[in-house]
């Protein structure tokens, strides 16, 4: 890359939409409620194992509620994204943070996804697929209109960017 500006890994500038905290909390609650309900029903139906099943349901409910209260706010502080003319930057993770960069010349596809909960919260996820063995970059928790604009912008930028000859 002699004579060219190299794309460097750096912290992305944009935070996800504030509504992502509620979306993540809803996901945590649903992810907790289903196994707690199964354990509780089994505890009611299976007399000999009632104590253990209901105790497990209670422990799981408390742990799930603690995670629901704590992690979404933390994720909001950590998750970042940015798109420049040269690359897409994404930082995710709570305990293990992952910083990823995709040069425009390496982008293969750009997708937006709006699951039922995301639609309820007015959010979307932009997925940028490259040939990387690490998989796609995902900018989650974006306002759905911003996500659509971002997908359009990325499509235009990648179309205008010549492929990398390396």
């Amino acid at each position: 890359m002699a004579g060219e500006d190299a794309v460097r890994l750096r912290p992305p500038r944009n935070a996800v939409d504030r509504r992502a905290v509620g979306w993540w909390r809803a996901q945590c609650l649903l992810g907790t409620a289903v196994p707690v309900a199964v354990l509780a029903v089994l505890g009611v139906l299976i007399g000999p194992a009632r104590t253990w099943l209901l105790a497990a349901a209670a422990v799981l409910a408390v742990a799930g509620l603690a995670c629901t209260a704590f992690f979404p706010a933390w994720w909001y502080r950590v998750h970042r994204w940015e798109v420049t003319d040269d690359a897409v930057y994404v930082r995710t993770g709570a305990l293990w943070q992952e910083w990823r960069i995709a040069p425009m010349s390496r982008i293969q596809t750009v997708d937006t996804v709006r699951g039922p909960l995301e639609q309820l919260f007015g959010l979307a996820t932009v997925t940028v697929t490259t040939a990387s063995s690490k998989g796609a970059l995902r900018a989650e928790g974006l306002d759905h209109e911003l996500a659509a604009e971002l997908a359009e912008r990325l499509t235009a930028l990648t179309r205008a960017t010549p492929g990398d000859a390396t």
Side-chain angles (χ1 to χ4, degrees):
M1 285 189 145
E4 295 180 24
D5 288 330
V7 176
R8 298 190 197 304
L9 185 62
R10 61 173 178 72
R13 292 187 175 104
N14 303 312
V16 298
D17 193 283
R18 185 74 181 139
R19 292 172 290 175
V21 174
W23 172 56
W24 288 323
R25 283 199 172 121
Q27 287 179 311
C28 290
L29 285 174
L30 285 173
T32 299
V34 171
V36 166
V38 169
L39 288 170
V41 167
L42 290 174
V44 169
L45 297 176
I46 304 172
R50 179 169 292 134
T51 302
W52 292 107
L53 289 169
L54 293 178
V59 168
L60 186 58
V62 168
L65 289 174
C67 288
T68 298
F70 176 71
F71 280 108
W74 186 2
W75 294 334
Y76 178 76
R77 286 191 299 276
V78 172
H79 282 77
R80 294 284 183 268
W81 66 275
E82 183 178 357
V83 173
T84 67
D85 289 342
D86 300 316
V88 177
Y89 299 83
V90 177
R91 183 180 72 191
T92 60
L95 299 176
W96 285 268
Q97 287 188 5
E98 181 176 51
W99 295 33
R100 304 238 352 245
I101 184 173
M104 288 299 165
S105 62
R106 299 293 188 163
I107 294 175
Q108 294 177 336
T109 62
V110 178
D111 303 298
T112 57
V113 177
R114 294 188 71 207
L117 276 178
E118 282 178 301
Q119 290 178 47
L120 183 66
F121 284 90
L123 300 172
T125 297
V126 174
T127 303
V128 176
T129 306
T130 67
S132 169
S133 62
K134 291 286 286 179
L137 280 78
R138 295 170 41 95
E140 298 180 335
L142 304 181
D143 175 80
H144 71 96
E145 291 176 357
L146 174 63
E149 291 169 11
L150 186 59
E152 277 185 43
R153 179 174 176 223
L154 282 169
T155 301
L157 284 169
T158 55
R159 194 174 326 160
T161 302
D164 193 344
T166 58

